[in-house]
Amino acid sequence: MSAPEPRTFRALFISDVHLGSKAAKADFLIDFLRYHDAEIIYLVGDIVDGWRLRRSWHWPQSHNDVVQKLLRKARKGASITYIAGNHDEFARQFQGVHFGGIVVADRAIHETADGRRLLVIHGDQFDTVVHNQRWLAYLGDYAYDTAMLINRVVTKLRHLLGLPYWSFSSWAKVKVKKAVNFIGSFQTVLSEEARRSHVDGVICGHIHHAAIENYGEVQYINTGDWVESCTAVVEHFDGRLEVLTWAHVLPESSAGKDVLVPVDIIDLKGRAARAA
């Protein structure tokens, strides 16, 4: 299977990479950034996982490579905005500061090629557990670590069997009724914030569930994550938005070469297609 052709977009939105955690799929993201470029890049929160780094230091070379890849894109002229999230909330004290061509912000307004104004925000500000029951948020974080451990075991088994990447944790999330209800509530609250902000839609992260949905006249876009589903949102040069799902580079046992699993694309109506 040959590698896909490099693609360039008007804008690229990535969130919830969680660099500094063992669950971060830095290699997946490096692969993705190698074949996808954009004039405007938004890092929509939780790029660095300060919560886990405070508990124990974990920063392999691949995590540093992600940072270097993004800085290289900034040096080549990409406009990059780092939106702070709850796991990297330390960045909120640096709003307006530039680091290597990357500017830090709490929120931003992105104008699409077709003239729509979209609020870009991580979304943790509207998660009542994060803000009102901090201890419960940390407890949930430990439970999430357990789910990620199971996810890594499943991934290794599928790799040994020659199967493509599949996220157990993402599958479990959509099967649990309470999780589904929380996702629906989160989408509704963020859409209401878009209305209050007098914009046409909102692009966020935080809940690790990629989606593009319409709530009346407001559009809700979630970029997903890079610990479970490995997704990003892109804007084409005509203003059209899509969610891309990236799969890991898998070794080809016979030739000893790397091959890329095809990329799934979910369009605005949620219909799945295959990328060329």
Side-chain angles (χ1 to χ4, degrees):
M1 189 182 300
S2 60
E5 291 294 322
R7 307 172 70 189
T8 301
F9 301 91
R10 183 172 183 271
L12 170 63
F13 304 82
I14 296 169
S15 79
D16 297 273
V17 181
H18 290 272
L19 296 176
S21 73
K22 292 181 180 180
K25 300 224 169 15
D27 290 336
F28 287 51
L29 182 54
I30 292 168
D31 289 338
F32 180 83
L33 293 173
R34 183 178 298 125
Y35 293 98
H36 298 80
D37 208 351
E39 297 176 352
I40 306 167
I41 299 175
Y42 290 92
L43 306 174
V44 195
D46 285 3
I47 304 303
V48 175
D49 197 325
W51 289 13
R52 285 172 176 80
L53 286 174
R54 282 197 296 268
R55 295 207 299 263
S56 62
W57 186 261
H58 177 76
W59 196 270
Q61 183 59 43
S62 60
H63 292 202
N64 197 54
D65 291 342
V66 170
V67 176
Q68 293 301 321
K69 191 78 172 176
L70 292 167
L71 289 172
R72 193 174 302 118
K73 287 183 181 294
R75 288 196 300 270
K76 289 183 177 179
S79 171
I80 303 182
T81 302
Y82 190 128
I83 305 292
N86 54 306
H87 282 259
D88 49 14
E89 58 190 352
F90 59 85
R92 288 189 168 126
Q93 63 185 305
F94 300 110
Q95 292 183 50
V97 178
H98 290 253
F99 294 96
I102 300 176
V103 63
V104 181
D106 185 56
R107 58 173 63 195
I109 299 294
H110 173 73
E111 187 168 335
T112 63
D114 53 5
R116 287 173 297 146
R117 298 174 69 247
L118 303 175
L119 171 66
V120 186
I121 189 170
H122 181 63
D124 63 291
Q125 300 91 328
F126 303 92
D127 185 339
T128 56
V129 171
V130 169
H131 286 275
N132 298 331
Q133 295 175 294
R134 192 78 168 185
W135 66 271
L136 189 57
Y138 283 118
L139 181 62
D141 200 47
Y142 279 103
Y144 188 76
D145 283 345
T146 302
M148 289 296 96
L149 178 60
I150 296 172
N151 208 55
R152 287 199 294 275
V153 173
V154 171
T155 298
K156 287 181 179 178
L157 288 174
R158 290 179 64 85
H159 178 74
L160 290 173
L161 295 172
L163 298 173
Y165 174 76
W166 174 78
S167 175
F168 163 80
S169 49
S170 289
W171 172 84
K173 183 185 295 181
V174 299
K175 293 296 181 181
V176 177
K177 185 176 180 181
K178 286 187 177 180
V180 173
N181 290 340
F182 171 76
I183 290 170
S185 299
F186 184 81
Q187 292 176 342
T188 300
V189 169
L190 266 291
S191 299
E192 287 299 323
E193 175 62 16
R195 289 189 182 92
R196 285 193 296 270
S197 301
H198 305 290
V199 294
D200 301 297
V202 59
I203 299 181
C204 60
H206 186 54
I207 61 170
H208 297 199
H209 185 76
I212 297 180
E213 304 283 350
N214 291 322
Y215 285 79
E217 73 284 5
V218 170
Q219 194 167 51
Y220 167 90
I221 304 107
N222 195 299
T223 61
D225 66 280
W226 287 87
V227 295
E228 299 176 65
S229 53
C230 299
T231 54
V233 169
V234 295
E235 179 198 347
H236 291 267
F237 287 96
D238 60 0
R240 183 167 49 96
L241 297 172
E242 290 180 327
V243 176
L244 303 188
T245 303
W246 188 249
H248 188 34
V249 172
L250 297 176
E252 185 180 30
S253 56
S254 60
K257 297 179 180 179
D258 286 342
V259 239
L260 289 167
V261 174
V263 180
D264 289 324
I265 299 180
I266 304 171
D267 65 18
L268 286 170
K269 297 182 180 179
R271 297 173 297 186
R274 302 298 284 183

